[in-house]
């Protein structure tokens, strides 16, 4: 719908909690739930109980590209101080682990990896690991 209503050259801006920051990744690793997401009450019919649906940058960028947007750029707002402390400890490990995992993805299907390269390159960059809110800019 965003693509349909925008004029050519128009920009859509979508924001969502950044579930790929280090705090959220650690919480998801430990509990299975990213930051701002906890188990939902099964017995409730209140739709407000489930108003946050986590979407990672990859899937948001993928959807926007599939809709026809020619450029998709990632931004974040302020860096979380707690994520900065974690980054001092974990950033080297994240970057080292990224190498064999991305190489395996590339070997498995080079064409798919190449067309996803711009999106994948942002997943473990400092803004993604530190930012509180994900801001995605899509140009028609």
């Amino acid at each position: 719908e965003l693509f349909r209503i925008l004029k050519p050259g128009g920009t859509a801006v979508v924001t969502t909690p950044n579930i790929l920051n280090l705090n959220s990744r650690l919480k998801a690793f430990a509990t299975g739930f990213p930051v701002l997401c906890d188990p939902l009450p099964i017995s409730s019919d209140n739709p407000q109980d489930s108003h946050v649906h986590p979407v990672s940058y990859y899937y948001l960028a993928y959807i926007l590209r599939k809709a026809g947007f020619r450029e998709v750029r990632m931004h974040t707002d302020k860096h979380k101080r707690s994520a900065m402390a974690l980054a001092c400890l974990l950033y080297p490990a994240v970057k080292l682990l990224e190498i064999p995992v991305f190489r395996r993805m590339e070997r498995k299907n080079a064409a798919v990896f190449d067309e996803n390269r711009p999106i994948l390159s942002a997943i473990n960059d400092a803004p993604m690991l530190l930012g509180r809110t994900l801001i995605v800019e899509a140009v028609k």
Side-chain angles (χ1 to χ4, degrees):
E1 185 64 10
L2 287 171
F3 187 82
R4 185 187 69 77
I5 64 173
L6 277 174
K7 294 179 182 177
T11 301
V13 177
V14 179
T15 65
T16 186
N18 180 12
I19 62 168
L20 292 179
N21 73 44
L22 284 171
N23 294 353
S24 187
R25 290 182 189 202
L26 283 177
K27 182 181 180 232
F29 177 72
T31 67
F33 296 97
V35 168
L36 299 180
C37 299
D38 290 317
L40 302 172
I42 295 171
S43 60
S44 174
D45 291 331
N46 184 354
Q48 289 183 347
D49 288 340
S50 59
H51 76 280
V52 175
H53 297 282
V55 179
S56 74
Y57 170 65
Y58 175 80
Y59 290 105
L60 193 52
Y62 170 83
I63 290 165
L64 292 166
R65 291 300 303 264
K66 289 293 280 185
F69 286 94
R70 59 184 169 86
E71 290 180 49
V72 177
R73 293 186 284 267
M74 182 276 300
H75 311 278
T76 59
D77 65 349
K78 75 176 197 167
H79 291 173
K80 295 179 68 91
R81 278 186 237 171
S82 56
M84 286 191 267
L86 285 171
C88 291
L89 298 169
L90 298 176
Y91 187 71
V94 168
K95 294 308 276 184
L96 280 174
L97 288 171
E98 171 187 274
I99 294 167
V101 172
F102 280 1
R103 280 188 184 154
R104 182 172 173 259
M105 285 180 191
E106 189 170 22
R107 276 194 315 272
K108 189 174 179 182
N109 195 333
V112 170
F113 187 83
D114 282 343
E115 71 182 357
N116 279 277
R117 192 179 301 274
I119 301 169
L120 296 174
S121 68
I123 288 176
N124 290 326
D125 282 352
M128 185 69 71
L129 295 174
L130 301 174
R132 180 188 63 178
T133 302
L134 177 63
I135 304 160
V136 179
E137 174 186 12
V139 179
K140 183 171 179 179

